[in-house]
Amino acid sequence: MKMIMLPPLVRAVLVACALSVPGAATADVPTVRIGAQVQDLGFVSEASIEAVHQVTVAAQVQGRVLALSVDAGDRVRRGQVLARIDAAEAAAALAAAQAGVGQAEAEMGNARSELARARGLVERQFLSASALDAARTRLEAAEAAVKAARAQREQAATVKGQFEIVAPLDGVVSARHIETGEMAQPGRALFTLHDPARMRAVTDVAPQRLAALGDGAVRARVTLGDGGRVVDAEAVTLLPAADARTHTVRVRVELPAGTDGLMPGSFARVHFVGAAGTAEASVVVVPRAAILRRGELTAVYVADGAGGFALRQVRLGRGVNGSEAVEVLAGLKGDETLALDPVQAGLRARAAAPAR
């Protein structure tokens, strides 16, 4: 008789092995003995890769883009010039502010000299005390004017510096959103940058699925879409709010630092598991080959111990990851022998049935 074994499960031990069923009716029908197994209750969720540190560099001033120093895919360093915007008006404003500072400082020097002369005249009683107070007031006003002019110069210099767009971090240019010659406007996105050294997978999960993993810390493994690399997550973070439309929770799965070769937006799969020993259950699984589907009927043929088979309806659960097996929620106890060829078993069962 042909012997068939079920494929291994994750952290599970097969409780039984293939068993022959005596009797001529089952001599050429392959069978398998099933039993309860310890199965991980984790689940898999599709995810997208995103950078932990990603920024969109926008313009703060208006002007025509004169030059672009980088393009999408280029590596940049913090402070590196990315683009230059026409700063002719800003340069003129800075020059005017600088002239204003010079004028205010000259007026302050004149006011200081007038105050010194007024003090000498008051000492010789050629000038009244009120005139001295007036000279002192003019000096204070001139000093305030100098401070205001210098502040305007600093503001003009800051604005002029905004016409030179620099990288805020070390990373890679993900996208360029403008062309040379176009007009930049305050708030318009110019570049998107990300740091490829720190990446994570993000996915939306129903809260009840996470609750089924138990009260311990949730762990995860990530299968990357660049050839099937599997990495263990450093941390799993559940955002503290659910989406009002889908009623799912956003989960961030941090990848180890230095996981290279990843691009934001690429595909990944996250396998969630509970803390050790908190997300396991004893379940009955059967090979898919043993399942008979006829319309709304889902059943298996169970050896009756007398050389024949009996049809038994079952209710199935989820498939077992990495194997051709499926969980049985109702209909089997876990100590039965099943036919692996339900069509042949059905023919044998009908042939053995008494004629009417």
Side-chain angles (χ1 to χ4, degrees), residues 213-219 273-276 278:
L213 298 180
D215 297 330
V218 176
R219 298 175 294 121
V273 294
T278 62

Side-chain angles (χ1 to χ4, degrees), residues 184-265:
Q185 300 289 341
R188 178 177 178 179
L190 304 179
F191 300 93
T192 300
L193 284 72
H194 74 275
D195 181 5
R198 296 293 310 185
M199 306 294 283
R200 65 190 175 200
V202 293
T203 182
D204 297 319
V205 179
Q208 56 269 29
R209 301 195 71 182
L210 293 171
L213 298 180
D215 297 330
V218 176
R219 298 175 294 121
R221 296 189 303 273
V222 182
T223 302
L224 305 175
D226 58 355
R229 278 191 298 166
V230 179
V231 296
D232 291 328
E234 282 193 344
V236 178
T237 303
L238 279 65
L239 298 190
D243 187 277
R245 182 176 59 86
T246 62
H247 307 294
T248 56
V249 176
R250 175 59 58 93
V251 183
R252 292 174 175 172
V253 182
E254 306 292 336
L255 300 178
T259 305
D260 55 359
L262 300 181
M263 295 183 295

Side-chain angles (χ1 to χ4, degrees), residues 17-223:
C17 62
L19 179 68
S20 62
V21 180
T26 61
D28 57 352
V29 178
T31 59
V32 65
R33 182 77 174 178
I34 64 169
Q37 301 177 9
V38 177
Q39 183 185 351
D40 190 347
L41 296 182
F43 61 92
V44 176
S45 180
E46 295 183 351
S48 297
I49 298 297
E50 72 174 20
V52 175
H53 303 295
Q54 177 171 304
V55 296
T56 298
V57 181
Q60 296 178 277
V61 292
Q62 178 178 340
R64 191 172 302 280
V65 177
L66 297 180
L68 297 172
S69 304
V70 296
D71 202 350
D74 293 343
R75 283 190 169 271
V76 297
R77 304 291 296 178
R78 183 186 182 95
Q80 179 179 337
V81 176
L82 305 179
R84 287 184 173 84
I85 301 174
D86 187 1
E89 294 184 5
L94 179 60
Q98 182 65 41
V101 170
Q103 180 180 356
E105 289 176 345
E107 292 177 354
M108 182 180 65
N110 186 39
R112 186 176 287 115
S113 299
E114 288 183 358
L115 178 61
R117 287 193 297 269
R119 284 173 178 167
L121 293 175
V122 169
E123 289 176 357
R124 288 181 289 172
Q125 297 182 354
F126 290 146
L127 198 65
S128 65
S130 60
L132 178 62
D133 293 339
R136 186 179 294 110
T137 301
R138 285 193 295 273
L139 176 60
E140 292 174 352
E143 290 174 343
V146 169
K147 292 180 180 180
R150 288 173 178 172
Q152 290 180 356
R153 181 182 62 185
E154 292 177 1
Q155 182 180 10
T158 300
V159 172
K160 187 176 183 298
Q162 293 173 352
F163 285 82
E164 197 171 70
I165 310 301
V166 298
L169 53 77
D170 296 342
V172 176
V173 180
S174 305
R176 175 170 57 84
H177 309 290
I178 200 167
E179 298 288 344
T180 302
E182 291 185 345
M183 288 294 294
Q185 300 289 341
R188 178 177 178 179
L190 304 179
F191 300 93
T192 300
L193 284 72
H194 74 275
D195 181 5
R198 296 293 310 185
M199 306 294 283
R200 65 190 175 200
V202 293
T203 182
D204 297 319
V205 179
Q208 56 269 29
R209 301 195 71 182
L210 293 171
L213 298 180
D215 297 330
V218 176
R219 298 175 294 121
R221 296 189 303 273
V222 182
T223 302

